Amino acid sequence: MIVGYRSTIITLSHPKLGNGKTISSNAIFQRSCRVRCSHSTTSSMNGFEDARNRIRESFGKLELSPSSYDTAWVAMVPSRHSLNEPCFPQCLEWIIENQREDGSWGLNPSHPLLLKDSLSSTLACLLALTKWRVGDEQIKRGLGFIETYGWAVDNKDQISPLGFEVILSSMIKSAEKLDLNLPLNLHLVNLVKCKRDSTIKRYILNNFTKNVEYMGEGVGELCDWKEIIKLHQRQNGSLFDSPATTAAALIYHQHDQKCYQYLNSILKQHKNWVPTMYPTKIHSLLCLVDTLQNLGVHRHFKSEIKKALDELYRLWQQKNEEIFSNVTHCAMAFRLLRMSYYDVSSDELAKFVDEEHFFATSGKYTSHVEILELHKASQLAIDHEKDDILDKINNWTRTFMEQKLLNNGFIDRMSKKEVELALRKFYTTSDLAENRRYIKSYEENYFKILKAAYRSPNINNKDLLAFSIHDFELCQAQHREELQQLRRWFEDYRLDQLGLAERYIHASYLFGVIVIPEPELSDARLMYAKYVMLLTIVDDHFESFASKDECLNIIELVERWDDYASVGYKSEKVKVFFSTFYKSIEELATIAEIKQGRSVKNHLINLWLELMKLMLMEQVEWCSGKTIPSIEEYLYVTSITFCAKLIPLTTQYFLGIKISKDLLESDEICGLWNCSGRVMRILNDLQDSKRVQKEVSINLVTLLMKSISEEEAIMKIKEILEMNRRELLKMVLVQKKGSQLPQLCKDIFWRTIKWAHFTYSHTDAYQIPEEMKNHIDEVFYKPLNH
């Protein structure tokens, strides 16, 4: 038995209906209209356009929020002319003017889990004010905050800034030298000091000295600042792009012109405050593009994203320091550029090839974000030998995240969720479900944390949230309308009389949405769903419902398409089937002809004819045991009968792109459907191997088991699967010289295996898990505020 699409069909379970029930046509239509009409008012659409314009403008306003912590360290830098005067008095003014109502300093607005960050920022501001003998009232209120919330210093539920214990202990010691009496519990003070000493000792013993140097303001006079500047000063004059560390170098080392120029360049832009990281352009561009993609609204900003990625690629080729000196930037740039069809080499990630190299060369105290981003990048291998670097990175980052990040309390609860999501292979997830999840978890006050917490106002804001929700709801309304059209088609053509249950409508359409999500490609999406249903009917007839003579009768009818009446019908069943099949293909061929400006009917018929003949051969020759195919023959034939050729090639005619028959028969397109077909066939066979063995049927596992054990067969099949998946990704992402195939045409094949991975990771031939039913609800029906 060759298992096709129908093993993944799902019965809709809607939250307001009983399990297994389907929503009536009228109900779908009415709900669709209500949502669509509520968002079609002039004021609503004007607001939508206004928000889109403001988001576009944000590409030119890339900055981070002010950092009280870093601003305080800059404020402590003495003048080059007098050690008794501040070099940057404007920063002192900012500190005085930006104390929060509770007496603290820190990210504004704050967050309940950022008490450690507030304590660190507040103490730094108090040191700056005390050092220059200003702000007595602010100092008094700041000490009150520390007295009230000092308990959080050792609270494990609170999120810790990088190097928290090391830096806090050093600042407590500095407060003592300034006669600033901190109202902290002595036990906590001693505990922080012990943690500071053990942390520094651990990093030095493990030769992770760069991590200590990154938090140099927490080591102070013990640092060899002259050597640190010599080894780690960036072209922009900074140490690790950190204003605080760079300011500490001037406090303890006093003389370095490039450090002064770096801090002056920041204050020239921001007047009287500094962010926790600078420069910020690369960081903000990467995060903005990534966020727009995660929200599913990137199609609205194609030109802005293209311009941003072109700039990133130019900097990548120049080996720009802002990209390559930062692990997160390097990994994100590689991932975004490779997935956007730019030619980037994994060689640039070679220094992170294993855990030892990573910690030795990362250049600063490591956060879980760096490892998470490296793992995401490592999933984009497209060549086994050349991308061996990515394989090694994938292995150690996965192990590190599973064993240390998730199980040993290395990160907080919020970050654990990010890691759990990153551990899922990106090609096994549904973009639509991920977009919904990201929108629901999106916060306009979302923050990240280095040595201080920070926000990106142009990335997390009300405009982007409202825009994403509105766009998602518009797409949901369109999906419900198209489902209504598909239901009418199902009823008009009486597909239920051919044994197709009504529940197939939702599953078939879901496949179409996953492969063709673009709202403007409605015809292609509906054609895809109709073909999935027709294929299910054909598969059922050739596998179970029809006899060999009836199958041969169907094939002859298709062969003599324009003169089918002269052929006759072997049975009423064949007559009913062919009548429906004929009308369906004629309808779709007419639409395709309009889009292509030429008739493509013969090509569509020939694709079906090839599939039917091979289906019959499977049943008559293979499944009966008369012939045992070779591995290559099996993969080639079953790729076609699994519709890897039929549906994607037919889809090309509906994408709004004029495409020639020669191009659809080119070696490039053959390679694409062959690779994608093998991936889908193997996923099915791995899922279905136990059942096939019981039925004494045939699949790739049973074929290989004629010469090796089942365990060896499965291992061999997984190798073939991975080889073909990588080859397909390479054909889609790498621009082949002389290729005339439009990018969207290639993308269809990659998206096709994505839905196959997603489907087979959630279901099997016996049952449909609740997660898949919920997926249909979430994508088509459930409001975002549900």
Side-chain angles (χ1 to χ4, degrees):
M1 177 180 178
I2 306 296
V3 178
Y5 282 89
R6 67 186 179 288
S7 66
T8 61
I9 297 302
I10 300 155
T11 300
L12 179 66
S13 173
H14 195 269
K16 294 186 179 179
L17 297 174
N19 284 346
K21 295 184 180 179
T22 55
I23 299 174
S24 69
S25 301
N26 288 336
I28 292 177
F29 181 75
Q30 289 168 5
R31 290 185 60 187
S32 172
C33 286
R34 281 201 300 273
V35 174
R36 184 162 38 90
C37 291
S38 68
H39 289 291
S40 61
T41 62
T42 302
S43 59
S44 177
M45 290 311 297
N46 285 342
F48 187 71
E49 286 302 318
D50 290 343
R52 176 156 49 190
N53 290 333
R54 286 192 294 272
I55 295 167
R56 282 180 176 143
E57 291 172 1
S58 70
F59 277 86
K61 301 175 182 177
L62 303 170
E63 60 181 43
L64 304 185
S65 57
S67 168
S68 303
Y69 171 81
D70 289 81
T71 301
W73 276 99
V74 174
M76 283 188 269
V77 175
S79 168
R80 284 179 284 186
H81 308 295
S82 172
L83 295 180
N84 297 318
E85 295 178 3
C87 185
F88 305 105
Q90 66 269 45
C91 292
L92 277 175
E93 294 173 8
W94 186 91
I95 290 170
I96 292 172
E97 293 171 0
N98 285 275
Q99 188 175 30
R100 299 190 295 215
E101 289 186 8
D102 61 2
S104 69
W105 283 269
L107 190 62
N108 195 22
S110 190
H111 187 280
L113 294 178
L114 285 179
L115 284 176
K116 288 184 179 180
D117 178 69
S118 294
L119 286 168
S120 178
S121 296
T122 299
L123 183 48
C125 289
L126 292 178
L127 290 178
L129 295 175
T130 303
K131 179 174 182 176
W132 304 119
R133 299 182 179 86
V134 295
D136 291 344
E137 180 60 29
Q138 286 77 15
I139 292 173
K140 181 179 178 181
R141 292 173 59 209
L143 291 172
F145 174 83
I146 290 176
E147 183 176 18
T148 303
Y149 294 99
W151 56 266
V153 165
D154 192 44
N155 187 282
K156 293 181 180 179
D157 291 329
Q158 289 288 318
I159 298 173
S160 291
L162 298 183
F164 176 71
E165 287 87 4
V166 173
I167 295 171
L168 187 71
S169 179
S170 176
M171 290 196 294
I172 291 173
K173 187 175 180 181
S174 296
E176 293 174 357
K177 291 181 180 179
L178 292 170
D179 293 327
L180 179 62
N181 187 22
L182 298 177
L184 282 172
N185 181 287
L186 184 61
H187 171 71
L188 284 178
V189 171
N190 290 332
L191 186 64
V192 171
K193 184 179 184 302
C194 288
K195 286 187 176 181
R196 171 190 184 271
D197 294 342
S198 64
T199 298
I200 293 175
K201 183 178 180 180
R202 184 173 72 253
Y203 278 112
I204 292 175
L205 285 174
N206 287 284
N207 199 31
F208 298 157
T209 55
K210 292 178 185 177
N211 293 328
V212 177
E213 291 160 352
Y214 171 65
M215 47 185 147
E217 64 268 35
V219 184
E221 295 172 346
L222 297 178
C223 279
D224 185 346
W225 287 101
K226 185 175 181 180
E227 186 67 13
I228 291 174
I229 290 172
K230 179 181 177 182
L231 292 175
H232 302 302
Q233 190 168 50
R234 304 270 167 86
Q235 293 174 7
N236 58 33
S238 76
L239 296 178
F240 310 106
D241 290 337
S242 168
T245 309
T246 307
L250 292 174
I251 293 170
Y252 296 109
H253 183 61
Q254 295 185 7
H255 300 293
D256 187 87
Q257 183 63 25
K258 292 182 70 176
C259 285
Y260 279 115
Q261 289 174 348
Y262 168 73
L263 296 178
N264 274 313
S265 69
I266 306 176
L267 292 170
K268 184 178 180 180
Q269 179 175 340
H270 297 300
K271 308 300 182 186
N272 56 4
W273 60 269
V274 300
T276 195
M277 172 177 58
Y278 188 88
T280 60
K281 181 179 179 181
I282 297 297
H283 175 83
S284 297
L285 270 181
L286 289 166
C287 292
L288 181 56
V289 172
D290 196 40
T291 298
L292 292 172
Q293 291 181 353
N294 289 332
L295 291 170
V297 297
H298 52 291
R299 69 183 185 280
H300 293 286
F301 309 98
K302 288 181 180 178
S303 62
E304 290 82 7
I305 290 174
K306 176 67 165 57
K307 183 178 179 181
L309 291 176
D310 283 347
E311 173 68 6
L312 286 169
Y313 185 54
R314 182 182 67 80
L315 295 173
W316 177 279
Q317 291 178 308
Q318 295 175 353
K319 300 192 183 299
N320 177 268
E321 187 180 54
E322 193 178 343
I323 294 177
F324 289 98
S325 63
N326 184 296
V327 180
T328 302
H329 294 174
C330 189
M332 283 187 75
F334 174 82
R335 172 170 58 86
L336 292 175
L337 289 170
R338 175 163 281 193
M339 285 304 293
S340 299
Y341 321 113
Y342 292 84
D343 182 17
V344 287
S345 171
S346 59
D347 291 345
E348 303 296 350
L349 301 177
K351 57 186 176 181
F352 313 123
V353 76
D354 56 43
E355 189 174 339
E356 182 180 353
H357 279 81
F358 169 75
F359 284 104
T361 61
S362 60
K364 66 179 182 63
Y365 194 92
T366 302
S367 77
H368 77 280
V369 176
E370 295 173 337
I371 295 169
L372 186 148
E373 287 297 340
L374 271 178
H375 185 73
K376 288 180 183 178
S378 72
Q379 296 184 45
L380 299 182
I382 57 177
D383 188 292
H384 180 68
E385 293 182 1
K386 291 183 179 179
D387 278 344
D388 183 53
I389 291 168
L390 295 184
D391 290 334
K392 291 178 179 177
I393 292 174
N394 185 274
N395 290 336
W396 82 258
T397 53
R398 172 171 288 277
T399 300
F400 189 92
M401 288 193 290
E402 290 174 342
Q403 296 181 358
K404 298 184 180 180
L405 294 190
L406 294 181
N407 297 323
N408 291 345
F410 187 83
I411 54 175
D412 57 87
R413 291 192 300 272
M414 291 172 63
S415 301
K416 280 186 177 181
K417 185 64 177 176
E418 295 178 51
V419 171
E420 288 167 355
L421 291 169
L423 282 170
R424 296 186 301 172
K425 294 177 180 178
F426 81 102
Y427 49 82
T428 65
T429 60
S430 162
D431 291 343
L432 293 165
E434 290 303 296
N435 293 155
R436 180 190 175 91
R437 180 195 64 77
Y438 199 88
I439 293 171
K440 285 184 72 68
S441 64
Y442 180 92
E443 298 178 23
E444 59 188 81
N445 288 324
Y446 176 77
F447 63 85
K448 296 181 180 180
I449 195 161
L450 293 171
K451 286 187 287 189
Y454 67 94
R455 290 191 177 96
S456 302
N458 61 310
I459 297 172
N460 294 89
N461 55 63
K462 292 180 181 179
D463 277 339
L464 197 43
L465 177 59
F467 184 86
S468 301
I469 291 173
H470 189 82
D471 181 71
F472 189 87
E473 290 176 343
L474 285 176
C475 289
Q476 275 191 321
Q478 180 175 350
H479 293 329
R480 289 194 289 269
E481 277 194 38
E482 291 176 4
L483 271 167
Q484 177 65 10
Q485 294 179 47
L486 199 60
R487 184 180 297 278
R488 285 198 297 269
W489 179 82
F490 180 95
E491 293 170 350
D492 290 346
Y493 282 79
R494 300 179 180 180
L495 298 190
D496 57 324
Q497 293 185 9
L498 296 172
L500 196 67
E502 194 172 331
R503 66 178 181 270
Y504 281 59
I505 295 171
H506 286 92
S508 301
Y509 181 69
L510 176 63
F511 296 153
V513 171
I514 290 174
V515 176
I516 311 165
E518 293 84 357
E520 68 275 14
L521 296 179
S522 177
D523 285 342
R525 193 160 38 251
L526 288 170
M527 166 261 134
Y528 200 102
K530 290 174 182 178
Y531 256 50
V532 170
M533 285 192 273
L534 289 174
L535 178 71
T536 305
I537 294 170
V538 170
D539 192 32
D540 281 340
H541 277 72
F542 276 74
E543 186 176 287
S544 309
F545 298 168
S547 66
K548 177 182 176 182
D549 286 343
E550 287 173 324
C551 290
L552 288 169
N553 187 196
I554 291 171
I555 289 172
E556 187 178 2
L557 287 165
V558 176
E559 284 179 324
R560 297 174 63 179
W561 189 268
D562 293 328
D563 188 32
Y564 71 88
S566 64
V567 176
Y569 305 106
K570 291 285 185 181
S571 66
E572 182 66 21
K573 180 166 52 179
V574 172
K575 181 178 180 180
V576 173
F577 163 79
F578 186 75
S579 175
T580 298
F581 182 76
Y582 180 87
K583 286 188 294 184
S584 300
I585 301 304
E586 284 287 332
E587 173 204 333
L588 292 169
T590 300
I591 298 172
E593 181 175 352
I594 293 170
K595 290 185 174 295
Q596 292 297 315
R598 62 183 178 86
S599 176
V600 299
K601 183 169 69 175
N602 287 340
H603 188 218
L604 301 187
I605 293 169
N606 288 335
L607 288 171
W608 277 107
L609 193 59
E610 177 185 36
L611 177 134
M612 290 176 176
K613 288 180 176 180
L614 292 177
M615 277 186 171
L616 183 61
M617 186 194 74
E618 285 180 346
Q619 296 302 316
V620 174
E621 300 293 329
W622 294 0
C623 292
S624 66
K626 289 183 180 179
T627 305
I628 298 176
S630 66
I631 300 300
E632 279 302 311
E633 182 185 9
Y634 173 84
L635 286 172
Y636 177 81
V637 169
T638 56
S639 292
I640 294 174
T641 57
F642 206 79
C643 79
K645 184 178 181 182
L646 169 72
I647 297 184
L649 262 62
T650 303
T651 302
Q652 308 294 328
Y653 289 131
F654 291 79
L655 298 177
I657 300 169
K658 294 288 196 305
I659 190 162
S660 68
K661 185 173 181 289
D662 289 342
L663 193 54
L664 286 180
E665 294 177 349
S666 65
D667 290 343
E668 184 175 12
I669 211 101
C670 285
L672 286 163
W673 70 253
N674 199 7
C675 269
S676 61
R678 287 171 178 242
V679 170
M680 290 191 293
R681 182 74 256 174
I682 291 171
L683 287 171
N684 179 86
D685 285 8
L686 286 172
Q687 185 75 267
D688 213 38
S689 61
K690 293 295 183 183
R691 184 194 55 75
V692 168
Q693 288 178 52
K694 290 178 182 178
E695 295 181 1
V696 197
S697 189
I698 184 173
N699 77 2
L700 192 55
V701 178
T702 58
L703 281 177
L704 286 170
M705 283 176 62
K706 296 183 183 301
S707 57
I708 55 179
S709 68
E710 181 180 0
E711 183 180 350
E712 290 172 323
I714 290 175
M715 187 179 299
K716 176 67 175 176
I717 290 171
K718 287 181 177 179
E719 290 176 2
I720 298 172
L721 172 67
E722 181 64 11
M723 180 183 69
N724 280 276
R725 186 195 64 77
R726 291 188 183 196
E727 182 60 27
L728 177 63
L729 187 59
K730 181 179 180 180
M731 285 190 283
V732 172
L733 296 184
V734 178
Q735 302 303 308
K736 185 178 179 182
K737 189 174 181 181
S739 172
Q740 296 180 346
L741 194 62
Q743 188 61 53
L744 178 58
C745 298
K746 300 177 189 178
D747 291 341
I748 294 298
F749 293 93
W750 176 252
R751 295 173 186 175
T752 298
I753 73 152
K754 276 201 73 174
W755 79 246
H757 271 291
F758 172 73
T759 299
Y760 285 112
S761 66
H762 290 86
T763 185
D764 58 34
Y766 300 101
Q767 60 183 349
I768 307 300
E770 196 66 27
E771 187 173 351
M772 284 293 282
K773 299 175 186 177
N774 291 339
H775 181 74
I776 286 180
D777 277 342
E778 289 181 347
V779 172
F780 300 144
Y781 296 105
K782 194 179 293 182
L784 275 167
N785 60 1
H786 189 274

